[in-house]
Amino acid sequence: MDARPLLNRRLDGLGTTIFAEMSALATATGAINLGQGFPDTDGPEAVREAAVRALREGRGNQYPPGPGVPELRAAISEHQRRFYELTVDPDTEVLVTAGATEAIAAAMLALLEPGDEVIAFEPFYDSYAACVAMAGATRVPLTLRAPSFRPDLDELRSKITPRTRLLLLNTPHNPTGTVLTRDELGAIAALAVEHDLLVVTDEVYEHLTFDGTAHVPIAAFPGMRERTVSISSAGKTFSFTGWKVGWVTASAPLVTAVRTAKQYLTYVSAGPFQYAVAEALRLPDSFFDGLRADLRSKRDLLADGLTAAGFEVYLPQGTYFVTTDVAPFGEKDAYAFCRALPERCGVVAVPNSVFYDDPEAGRSQVRFTFCKRKGVLEEATTRLKRLAV
Ligand code: PMP
Ligand code: GLN
Protein backbone atom coordinates (compact mmCIF):
# COMPACT_ATOMS: atom_id res chain seq x y z
CA MET A 1 0.00 0.00 0.00
CA ASP A 2 1.38 3.40 -0.94
CA ALA A 3 1.28 5.78 2.04
CA ARG A 4 3.41 8.44 0.37
CA PRO A 5 0.61 10.87 -0.46
CA LEU A 6 -0.37 10.86 3.24
CA LEU A 7 3.03 11.13 4.86
CA ASN A 8 4.18 14.53 6.04
CA ARG A 9 7.37 15.96 4.59
CA ARG A 10 9.44 15.03 7.61
CA LEU A 11 8.74 11.34 7.01
CA ASP A 12 9.09 11.56 3.25
CA GLY A 13 11.27 8.73 1.99
CA LEU A 14 10.95 6.67 5.17
CA GLY A 15 9.14 3.54 4.11
CA THR A 16 9.12 0.12 5.81
CA THR A 17 12.34 -0.46 7.77
CA ILE A 18 14.86 -2.61 5.99
CA PHE A 19 14.80 -5.04 8.94
CA ALA A 20 11.05 -5.61 8.64
CA GLU A 21 11.32 -5.89 4.87
CA MET A 22 14.09 -8.47 4.98
CA SER A 23 12.52 -10.48 7.83
CA ALA A 24 9.27 -10.60 5.84
CA LEU A 25 11.26 -11.85 2.86
CA ALA A 26 12.78 -14.57 5.05
CA THR A 27 9.34 -15.65 6.26
CA ALA A 28 7.89 -15.60 2.76
CA THR A 29 10.72 -17.63 1.23
CA GLY A 30 11.66 -19.87 4.18
CA ALA A 31 15.25 -18.62 3.86
CA ILE A 32 17.70 -18.53 6.78
CA ASN A 33 17.37 -15.08 8.31
CA LEU A 34 20.79 -13.54 8.92
CA GLY A 35 19.27 -10.09 8.33
CA GLN A 36 17.52 -8.60 11.33
CA GLY A 37 19.57 -8.85 14.51
CA PHE A 38 17.67 -11.08 16.89
CA PRO A 39 18.97 -14.29 18.48
CA ASP A 40 17.35 -17.63 17.62
CA THR A 41 17.68 -18.80 21.22
CA ASP A 42 16.30 -16.93 24.22
CA GLY A 43 18.39 -15.46 27.02
CA PRO A 44 19.08 -16.98 30.46
CA GLU A 45 16.36 -19.18 31.92
CA ALA A 46 16.69 -17.49 35.32
CA VAL A 47 15.87 -14.13 33.72
CA ARG A 48 12.88 -15.54 31.89
CA GLU A 49 11.69 -17.09 35.15
CA ALA A 50 12.09 -13.75 36.89
CA ALA A 51 9.66 -12.26 34.35
CA VAL A 52 7.19 -15.09 34.91
CA ARG A 53 7.44 -14.58 38.67
CA ALA A 54 6.83 -10.85 38.34
CA LEU A 55 3.78 -11.49 36.15
CA ARG A 56 2.37 -14.06 38.58
CA GLU A 57 3.06 -11.94 41.64
CA GLY A 58 1.42 -8.95 40.02
CA ARG A 59 4.55 -6.80 39.97
CA GLY A 60 4.37 -4.41 37.05
CA ASN A 61 1.04 -5.59 35.69
CA GLN A 62 -0.31 -2.08 36.19
CA TYR A 63 1.39 1.14 35.06
CA PRO A 64 4.88 1.21 36.54
CA PRO A 65 6.33 4.57 37.66
CA GLY A 66 7.22 6.97 34.83
CA PRO A 67 11.01 6.83 35.33
CA GLY A 68 10.94 3.01 35.63
CA VAL A 69 10.58 0.67 38.60
CA PRO A 70 13.01 1.51 41.44
CA GLU A 71 14.51 -2.03 41.38
CA LEU A 72 15.57 -1.60 37.74
CA ARG A 73 16.83 1.95 38.19
CA ALA A 74 18.98 0.76 41.10
CA ALA A 75 20.29 -2.15 39.00
CA ILE A 76 21.16 0.18 36.10
CA SER A 77 23.01 2.49 38.47
CA GLU A 78 24.93 -0.49 39.94
CA HIS A 79 25.72 -1.72 36.42
CA GLN A 80 27.26 1.66 35.46
CA ARG A 81 29.43 1.59 38.57
CA ARG A 82 30.37 -2.07 38.23
CA PHE A 83 31.47 -1.92 34.60
CA TYR A 84 32.58 1.70 34.12
CA GLU A 85 33.02 3.25 37.56
CA LEU A 86 30.36 5.80 36.62
CA THR A 87 28.14 7.13 39.37
CA VAL A 88 24.51 7.76 38.43
CA ASP A 89 21.77 8.56 40.90
CA PRO A 90 19.04 5.94 40.39
CA ASP A 91 16.33 8.45 41.31
CA THR A 92 17.28 11.41 39.14
CA GLU A 93 19.80 10.22 36.56
CA VAL A 94 18.18 7.05 35.16
CA LEU A 95 15.16 6.67 32.89
CA VAL A 96 13.69 3.38 31.72
CA THR A 97 12.35 3.41 28.15
CA ALA A 98 10.58 1.14 25.67
CA GLY A 99 13.84 -0.20 24.27
CA ALA A 100 16.73 1.92 23.10
CA THR A 101 14.53 2.91 20.16
CA GLU A 102 12.25 5.00 22.34
CA ALA A 103 15.22 6.47 24.20
CA ILE A 104 16.67 7.66 20.89
CA ALA A 105 13.34 9.11 19.77
CA ALA A 106 12.67 10.84 23.09
CA ALA A 107 16.20 12.27 23.18
CA MET A 108 15.88 13.70 19.67
CA LEU A 109 12.41 15.10 20.26
CA ALA A 110 13.40 16.62 23.59
CA LEU A 111 16.77 18.10 22.69
CA LEU A 112 16.51 19.32 19.09
CA GLU A 113 15.02 22.46 17.59
CA PRO A 114 13.89 22.49 13.97
CA GLY A 115 16.90 23.46 11.86
CA ASP A 116 19.49 22.08 14.29
CA GLU A 117 22.20 19.89 12.79
CA VAL A 118 23.02 16.45 14.16
CA ILE A 119 26.29 14.80 13.19
CA ALA A 120 26.04 11.01 13.06
CA PHE A 121 28.27 8.29 11.67
CA GLU A 122 27.12 6.70 8.48
CA PRO A 123 26.25 3.91 7.85
CA PHE A 124 23.71 4.81 10.56
CA TYR A 125 21.15 2.72 12.40
CA ASP A 126 17.91 3.44 10.57
CA SER A 127 15.97 4.99 13.45
CA TYR A 128 18.51 7.83 13.74
CA ALA A 129 17.53 9.26 10.39
CA ALA A 130 13.83 8.93 11.19
CA CYS A 131 14.09 10.49 14.67
CA VAL A 132 16.26 13.38 13.57
CA ALA A 133 13.75 14.01 10.78
CA MET A 134 10.75 13.79 13.13
CA ALA A 135 12.40 16.41 15.32
CA GLY A 136 12.67 18.67 12.25
CA ALA A 137 16.45 18.66 12.46
CA THR A 138 19.03 17.90 9.78
CA ARG A 139 21.30 14.88 9.72
CA VAL A 140 24.93 15.53 8.81
CA PRO A 141 26.73 12.27 8.06
CA LEU A 142 30.31 11.47 8.92
CA THR A 143 31.16 8.52 6.72
CA LEU A 144 32.99 5.52 8.16
CA ARG A 145 34.83 4.10 5.17
CA ALA A 146 35.94 0.55 4.43
CA PRO A 147 38.14 -1.23 5.17
CA SER A 148 38.84 0.21 8.64
CA PHE A 149 35.55 2.09 9.28
CA ARG A 150 37.35 4.47 11.66
CA PRO A 151 36.00 8.03 12.01
CA ASP A 152 38.12 10.78 10.46
CA LEU A 153 38.30 13.26 13.31
CA ASP A 154 39.51 16.15 11.15
CA GLU A 155 36.48 15.61 8.98
CA LEU A 156 34.33 15.57 12.10
CA ARG A 157 35.77 18.92 13.14
CA SER A 158 35.12 20.34 9.68
CA LYS A 159 31.46 19.33 9.84
CA ILE A 160 30.74 21.30 13.01
CA THR A 161 28.89 24.53 12.23
CA PRO A 162 27.12 27.11 14.43
CA ARG A 163 23.95 25.08 13.85
CA THR A 164 25.41 21.83 15.17
CA ARG A 165 23.55 20.93 18.34
CA LEU A 166 24.34 17.32 18.91
CA LEU A 167 26.66 14.43 18.10
CA LEU A 168 24.86 11.11 17.80
CA LEU A 169 27.34 8.32 18.47
CA ASN A 170 27.00 4.58 18.31
CA THR A 171 29.70 2.38 19.79
CA PRO A 172 30.01 -0.57 19.28
CA HIS A 173 28.72 0.47 15.89
CA ASN A 174 25.93 -1.20 13.96
CA PRO A 175 26.49 -2.27 11.16
CA THR A 176 30.30 -1.97 10.86
CA GLY A 177 31.32 -3.41 14.24
CA THR A 178 33.68 -0.48 14.91
CA VAL A 179 34.35 0.10 18.61
CA LEU A 180 35.59 3.63 19.29
CA THR A 181 38.96 3.72 21.03
CA ARG A 182 39.81 5.71 24.11
CA ASP A 183 41.79 8.15 21.93
CA GLU A 184 38.96 8.61 19.45
CA LEU A 185 36.47 9.15 22.24
CA GLY A 186 38.79 11.60 23.98
CA ALA A 187 39.11 13.62 20.77
CA ILE A 188 35.35 13.57 20.17
CA ALA A 189 34.71 14.60 23.77
CA ALA A 190 37.16 17.49 23.45
CA LEU A 191 35.33 18.71 20.32
CA ALA A 192 31.99 18.46 22.10
CA VAL A 193 33.29 20.55 24.99
CA GLU A 194 35.00 23.07 22.70
CA HIS A 195 31.83 23.62 20.66
CA ASP A 196 29.39 23.14 23.54
CA LEU A 197 27.60 20.21 21.87
CA LEU A 198 25.36 17.60 23.39
CA VAL A 199 26.28 13.96 22.82
CA VAL A 200 23.73 11.18 22.55
CA THR A 201 25.50 7.83 22.60
CA ASP A 202 23.84 4.56 21.68
CA GLU A 203 25.69 1.78 23.49
CA VAL A 204 23.26 -1.13 23.11
CA TYR A 205 26.13 -3.44 22.10
CA GLU A 206 28.26 -2.42 25.10
CA HIS A 207 28.82 -6.03 26.22
CA LEU A 208 29.38 -7.45 22.73
CA THR A 209 33.06 -6.75 22.11
CA PHE A 210 35.77 -9.18 21.08
CA ASP A 211 39.51 -9.87 21.14
CA GLY A 212 40.14 -7.78 24.24
CA THR A 213 38.54 -4.66 22.75
CA ALA A 214 36.96 -2.73 25.60
CA HIS A 215 33.83 -0.64 25.33
CA VAL A 216 34.47 2.78 26.83
CA PRO A 217 31.55 5.12 27.57
CA ILE A 218 32.12 8.70 26.44
CA ALA A 219 30.24 9.88 29.54
CA ALA A 220 33.39 9.08 31.53
CA PHE A 221 35.51 11.75 29.80
CA PRO A 222 36.19 15.18 31.30
CA GLY A 223 33.41 17.66 30.70
CA MET A 224 31.06 15.02 29.31
CA ARG A 225 28.90 14.13 32.26
CA GLU A 226 26.65 17.16 31.93
CA ARG A 227 26.36 16.96 28.13
CA THR A 228 25.98 13.22 27.46
CA VAL A 229 22.85 11.11 27.15
CA SER A 230 23.91 7.44 27.30
CA ILE A 231 21.49 4.85 25.95
CA SER A 232 21.44 1.09 26.31
CA SER A 233 19.02 -1.80 26.27
CA ALA A 234 18.45 -5.30 27.59
CA GLY A 235 17.63 -6.67 24.15
CA LYS A 236 21.15 -7.39 22.92
CA THR A 237 22.94 -8.19 26.18
CA PHE A 238 20.34 -10.61 27.48
CA SER A 239 18.90 -11.95 24.20
CA PHE A 240 15.34 -10.84 24.81
CA THR A 241 14.88 -8.38 21.97
CA GLY A 242 11.09 -8.64 22.20
CA TRP A 243 10.92 -7.31 25.75
CA LYS A 244 11.87 -3.79 24.71
CA VAL A 245 13.42 -2.62 27.94
CA GLY A 246 15.93 0.16 27.40
CA TRP A 247 17.32 3.00 29.47
CA VAL A 248 18.95 6.38 29.55
CA THR A 249 21.58 7.53 31.99
CA ALA A 250 22.52 11.21 32.08
CA SER A 251 22.64 14.24 34.36
CA ALA A 252 19.36 15.04 36.10
CA PRO A 253 18.47 17.96 33.77
CA LEU A 254 19.06 15.84 30.67
CA VAL A 255 17.10 12.89 32.07
CA THR A 256 14.28 15.24 32.95
CA ALA A 257 14.29 16.67 29.42
CA VAL A 258 14.23 13.22 27.80
CA ARG A 259 11.54 12.04 30.22
CA THR A 260 9.37 15.00 29.27
CA ALA A 261 9.22 13.70 25.69
CA LYS A 262 9.08 10.02 26.73
CA GLN A 263 5.98 10.63 28.86
CA TYR A 264 4.00 11.45 25.73
CA LEU A 265 5.38 8.65 23.58
CA THR A 266 4.64 5.57 25.69
CA TYR A 267 4.29 7.03 29.20
CA VAL A 268 5.62 3.72 30.58
CA SER A 269 6.15 0.16 29.33
CA ALA A 270 7.01 -3.47 30.01
CA GLY A 271 6.24 -3.53 33.77
CA PRO A 272 7.02 -7.16 34.67
CA PHE A 273 10.01 -7.30 32.32
CA GLN A 274 11.61 -4.41 34.16
CA TYR A 275 11.89 -6.59 37.29
CA ALA A 276 13.44 -9.39 35.27
CA VAL A 277 15.97 -7.06 33.64
CA ALA A 278 16.94 -5.79 37.10
CA GLU A 279 17.94 -9.38 37.94
CA ALA A 280 19.69 -9.81 34.59
CA LEU A 281 21.90 -6.76 35.11
CA ARG A 282 23.15 -8.33 38.34
CA LEU A 283 24.21 -11.60 36.69
CA PRO A 284 27.79 -12.60 37.53
CA ASP A 285 30.75 -11.74 35.32
CA SER A 286 30.70 -15.31 34.01
CA PHE A 287 27.47 -14.54 32.15
CA PHE A 288 28.95 -11.51 30.37
CA ASP A 289 32.21 -13.35 29.62
CA GLY A 290 30.27 -16.36 28.32
CA LEU A 291 28.17 -14.17 26.02
CA ARG A 292 31.28 -12.61 24.53
CA ALA A 293 33.05 -15.94 24.09
CA ASP A 294 30.01 -17.53 22.44
CA LEU A 295 29.54 -14.64 20.04
CA ARG A 296 33.22 -14.43 19.26
CA SER A 297 33.30 -18.04 18.13
CA LYS A 298 30.16 -17.47 16.07
CA ARG A 299 31.69 -14.36 14.55
CA ASP A 300 34.72 -16.37 13.49
CA LEU A 301 32.58 -19.20 12.16
CA LEU A 302 30.50 -16.84 10.03
CA ALA A 303 33.44 -14.67 8.94
CA ASP A 304 35.47 -17.72 7.86
CA GLY A 305 32.46 -19.17 6.04
CA LEU A 306 31.79 -15.91 4.23
CA THR A 307 35.44 -15.56 3.25
CA ALA A 308 35.44 -19.13 1.93
CA ALA A 309 32.27 -18.34 -0.03
CA GLY A 310 34.07 -15.44 -1.75
CA PHE A 311 32.90 -12.36 0.18
CA GLU A 312 35.23 -9.59 1.21
CA VAL A 313 34.80 -9.65 4.99
CA TYR A 314 35.41 -6.83 7.47
CA LEU A 315 35.91 -8.44 10.87
CA PRO A 316 33.94 -6.54 13.54
CA GLN A 317 35.41 -5.67 16.96
CA GLY A 318 31.92 -5.57 18.43
CA THR A 319 28.15 -6.09 17.84
CA TYR A 320 26.77 -9.28 16.31
CA PHE A 321 27.06 -8.20 12.70
CA VAL A 322 29.63 -8.81 9.98
CA THR A 323 29.81 -6.32 7.13
CA THR A 324 30.94 -7.72 3.81
CA ASP A 325 31.44 -6.47 0.29
CA VAL A 326 29.83 -8.36 -2.57
CA ALA A 327 31.92 -6.67 -5.28
CA PRO A 328 34.06 -9.84 -5.64
CA PHE A 329 30.95 -11.49 -7.16
CA GLY A 330 30.67 -8.68 -9.68
CA GLU A 331 27.71 -7.29 -7.72
CA LYS A 332 27.34 -3.52 -7.64
CA ASP A 333 24.04 -3.06 -5.83
CA ALA A 334 23.72 -4.46 -2.30
CA TYR A 335 19.96 -3.93 -2.19
CA ALA A 336 19.33 -5.85 -5.42
CA PHE A 337 21.74 -8.54 -4.21
CA CYS A 338 19.84 -8.93 -0.90
CA ARG A 339 16.46 -9.06 -2.63
CA ALA A 340 17.69 -11.85 -4.87
CA LEU A 341 19.65 -13.76 -2.22
CA PRO A 342 16.78 -15.89 -0.81
CA GLU A 343 16.00 -17.15 -4.30
CA ARG A 344 19.64 -17.74 -5.17
CA CYS A 345 20.85 -19.27 -1.90
CA GLY A 346 18.07 -19.46 0.68
CA VAL A 347 19.69 -16.82 2.91
CA VAL A 348 18.56 -13.32 3.96
CA ALA A 349 20.98 -10.46 4.68
CA VAL A 350 20.67 -6.68 4.98
CA PRO A 351 22.09 -4.16 2.47
CA ASN A 352 24.23 -1.57 4.27
CA SER A 353 23.72 0.76 1.32
CA VAL A 354 20.41 1.90 2.80
CA PHE A 355 22.24 3.18 5.90
CA TYR A 356 24.23 5.77 3.92
CA ASP A 357 23.32 9.18 2.56
CA ASP A 358 26.24 8.85 0.19
CA PRO A 359 24.97 6.26 -2.29
CA GLU A 360 28.50 5.37 -3.42
CA ALA A 361 30.01 4.77 0.00
CA GLY A 362 28.27 1.52 0.85
CA ARG A 363 26.91 0.53 -2.53
CA SER A 364 28.01 -3.10 -2.44
CA GLN A 365 28.12 -3.70 1.32
CA VAL A 366 25.96 -6.40 2.87
CA ARG A 367 25.50 -7.21 6.57
CA PHE A 368 25.00 -10.67 8.09
CA THR A 369 24.21 -11.35 11.73
CA PHE A 370 25.86 -14.13 13.71
CA CYS A 371 23.49 -14.21 16.71
CA LYS A 372 22.15 -17.58 15.52
CA ARG A 373 22.87 -21.20 16.43
CA LYS A 374 26.12 -22.56 15.02
CA GLY A 375 24.37 -25.15 12.88
CA VAL A 376 22.30 -22.38 11.29
CA LEU A 377 25.41 -20.32 10.55
CA GLU A 378 27.12 -23.38 9.05
CA GLU A 379 24.13 -24.17 6.86
CA ALA A 380 23.93 -20.54 5.73
CA THR A 381 27.58 -20.37 4.71
CA THR A 382 27.29 -23.71 2.90
CA ARG A 383 24.40 -22.29 0.93
CA LEU A 384 26.28 -19.07 0.20
CA LYS A 385 29.08 -21.04 -1.46
CA ARG A 386 26.69 -21.42 -4.40
CA LEU A 387 27.41 -17.80 -5.26
CA ALA A 388 30.88 -18.69 -6.43
CA VAL A 389 29.67 -21.18 -9.05
N1 PMP B 1 20.43 1.00 18.48
C1 PMP B 1 21.09 0.14 17.70
C2 PMP B 1 22.42 0.51 17.18
C3 PMP B 1 20.50 -1.08 17.37
O1 PMP B 1 21.14 -1.92 16.59
C4 PMP B 1 19.23 -1.39 17.87
C5 PMP B 1 18.59 -2.66 17.45
N2 PMP B 1 18.11 -3.35 18.46
C6 PMP B 1 18.60 -0.46 18.69
C7 PMP B 1 19.21 0.72 18.96
C8 PMP B 1 17.23 -0.69 19.23
O2 PMP B 1 17.25 -1.30 20.45
P1 PMP B 1 15.90 -1.76 21.18
O3 PMP B 1 15.49 -3.05 20.56
O4 PMP B 1 16.27 -1.88 22.60
O5 PMP B 1 14.89 -0.69 20.95
N1 GLN C 1 18.81 -3.63 15.70
C1 GLN C 1 18.36 -4.67 14.84
C2 GLN C 1 19.29 -4.79 13.65
O1 GLN C 1 20.10 -3.94 13.40
C3 GLN C 1 16.97 -4.46 14.30
C4 GLN C 1 15.98 -3.84 15.16
C5 GLN C 1 14.79 -3.44 14.38
O2 GLN C 1 14.30 -4.18 13.53
N2 GLN C 1 14.32 -2.26 14.59
O3 GLN C 1 19.18 -5.77 12.97
Side-chain angles (χ1 to χ4, degrees), residues 120-353:
F121 298 137
E122 72 170 4
F124 43 78
Y125 181 56
D126 65 348
S127 88
Y128 302 167
C131 291
V132 170
M134 287 192 280
T138 303
R139 178 177 76 250
V140 176
L142 180 75
T143 308
L144 304 180
R145 293 178 197 285
S148 73
F149 296 112
R150 308 295 335 163
D152 178 333
L153 298 172
D154 292 328
E155 198 180 335
L156 173 58
R157 176 182 286 280
S158 76
K159 299 222 161 178
I160 298 173
T161 75
R163 286 150 70 120
T164 309
R165 168 76 168 149
L166 191 149
L167 305 179
L168 177 48
L169 305 182
N170 173 212
T171 183
H173 181 259
N174 177 9
T176 64
T178 292
V179 180
L180 295 180
T181 63
R182 208 172 274 281
D183 285 351
E184 286 165 343
L185 289 163
I188 295 169
L191 280 176
V193 171
E194 182 186 334
H195 295 275
D196 194 21
L197 306 177
L198 294 171
V199 171
V200 174
T201 174
D202 176 348
E203 303 181 357
V204 298
Y205 298 100
E206 61 185 316
H207 288 291
L208 278 51
T209 60
F210 313 116
D211 309 325
T213 306
H215 167 69
V216 182
I218 196 164
F221 285 77
M224 294 311 288
R225 210 179 179 301
E226 60 273 25
R227 64 179 72 251
T228 304
V229 174
S230 305
I231 293 173
S232 194
S233 160
K236 312 294 165 181
T237 303
F238 302 112
S239 300
F240 288 112
T241 59
W243 288 10
K244 298 297 292 187
V245 177
W247 53 87
V248 165
T249 53
S251 67
L254 281 170
V255 161
T256 305
V258 177
R259 193 177 63 229
T260 303
K262 183 248 156 36
Q263 288 179 112
Y264 301 108
L265 294 173
T266 56
Y267 180 48
V268 290
S269 61
F273 294 130
Q274 292 190 31
Y275 292 95
V277 171
E279 293 197 22
L281 285 166
R282 295 183 174 123
L283 285 169
D285 288 353
S286 55
F287 165 77
F288 296 91
D289 295 341
L291 172 77
R292 254 192 299 274
D294 178 54
L295 282 173
R296 203 200 88 129
S297 68
K298 289 175 172 171
R299 176 199 68 172
D300 292 346
L301 177 73
L302 180 63
D304 290 349
L306 291 169
T307 305
F311 289 81
E312 180 166 4
V313 171
Y314 306 111
L315 204 66
Q317 296 136 10
T319 76
Y320 44 46
F321 305 110
V322 178
T323 284
T324 66
D325 202 302
V326 294
F329 302 113
E331 298 283 345
K332 292 189 176 63
D333 178 345
Y335 200 176
F337 175 85
C338 287
R339 273 195 301 243
L341 198 58
E343 192 67 34
R344 285 174 78 182
C345 296
V347 176
V348 161
V350 161
N352 284 15
S353 47

Side-chain angles (χ1 to χ4, degrees), residues 3-15:
R4 274 174 301 183
L6 298 170
L7 270 179
N8 67 38
R9 257 181 298 157
R10 289 189 303 285
L11 295 186
D12 194 24
L14 298 171

